[in-house]
Amino acid sequence: MLTPASEGKDRGRVLLAAGSEKSRAQWERLLREAGFQQVEAVASGGEARRQLLAGAWDTVVINAPLPDEFGHQLAEDAAEEGPGVLLVVKSELWEEVSDRVAPWGVLTLGRPFSRAALSQALGLLYAAQRKLRRCQEENARLRKKLEELRVVSQAKCLLVEYLHLAEEEAHKYVERQAMEERKTRRAVAEEILREYG
């Protein structure tokens, strides 16, 4: 086992791209030990791209080089899709490749590596992805709230214009209608927009 903490935890779906059958088998074992229960292994960048298009992945691990490409462009493309990406390269290439892919949020690991280094890299990737997802969820929640405020504001403007209410009265009107009709403020505002808009 990589760490006792990885036992019993499912870190989601991981797409593994590794050129040789032997390296795919080794990586699958390492990833399962690290807590990934769903590992899909492919042998090339082309296969990895097809898999990226076909499903949602939590993590992508690329053991570079691949038979049809080095792997840095695949790492950048995969990172654009949202999963955490770990690109594994020879240690002598680590700095150059890391500098190239870091702007896309790709984590690079030099090979050979210790199990502790792999465990740390996967832990960092997992933690960063969880934090990113929380930020994305919060962003979506705030966008929804902002859209609701925009719709309610438009409705209040129509109430001011057509019913000659003061802004505060228009606000209270929307609140009261929402309470009385047991609807959200947005639903009431949308009805006002349909009626007066």
Side-chain angles (χ1 to χ4, degrees):
M1 291 293 166
L2 286 177
T3 64
S6 65
E7 234 175 84
K9 290 187 179 177
D10 184 2
R11 292 188 174 186
R13 297 181 69 211
V14 62
L15 176 60
L16 165 65
S20 75
E21 193 174 319
K22 181 180 175 183
S23 69
R24 284 192 302 278
Q26 290 172 335
W27 272 104
E28 280 188 64
R29 183 178 45 78
L30 288 170
L31 291 168
R32 289 188 196 287
E33 288 176 2
F36 293 98
Q37 302 304 312
Q38 301 173 55
V39 180
E40 177 72 28
V42 296
S44 69
E47 288 179 71
R49 283 186 170 78
R50 284 189 289 280
Q51 288 295 328
L52 282 168
L53 291 172
W57 300 95
D58 299 299
T59 305
V60 175
V61 175
I62 302 164
N63 188 39
L66 298 171
D68 56 346
E69 65 179 281
F70 182 77
H72 62 279
Q73 189 62 54
L74 172 61
E76 293 169 9
D77 294 344
E80 288 287 316
E81 296 299 315
V85 181
L86 176 64
L87 178 60
V88 183
V89 298
K90 289 182 181 178
S91 289
E92 54 268 19
L93 299 174
W94 179 85
E95 188 173 359
E96 177 187 342
V97 174
S98 181
D99 287 346
R100 179 176 179 146
V101 298
W104 280 268
V106 174
L107 187 61
T108 310
L109 180 64
R111 186 179 57 236
F113 51 81
S114 67
R115 285 182 174 239
L118 176 61
S119 182
Q120 286 176 342
L122 290 171
L124 286 169
L125 197 58
Y126 181 68
Q129 282 305 106
R130 287 188 54 124
K131 183 172 184 170
L132 178 62
R133 280 196 195 92
R134 283 195 307 274
C135 289
Q136 288 169 335
E137 288 165 4
E138 178 68 7
N139 189 6
R141 188 188 67 77
L142 291 172
R143 284 180 185 270
K144 185 177 176 183
K145 183 71 175 167
L146 193 57
E147 179 61 16
E148 177 187 321
L149 290 172
R150 186 187 65 74
V151 170
V152 170
S153 290
Q154 285 179 334
K156 289 192 299 188
C157 287
L158 289 174
L159 291 173
V160 168
E161 183 179 343
Y162 289 101
L163 299 183
H164 307 291
L165 299 176
E167 187 178 341
E168 184 62 31
E169 291 172 320
H171 178 77
K172 287 179 182 176
Y173 177 87
V174 172
E175 295 284 332
R176 186 173 58 252
Q177 290 297 109
M179 226 170 22
E180 288 175 2
E181 297 176 17
R182 294 186 180 181
K183 294 181 178 176
T184 63
R185 292 176 348 128
R186 181 175 180 149
V188 170
E190 287 171 345
E191 287 175 4
I192 292 167
L193 289 176
R194 280 193 295 275
E195 186 174 343
Y196 295 104

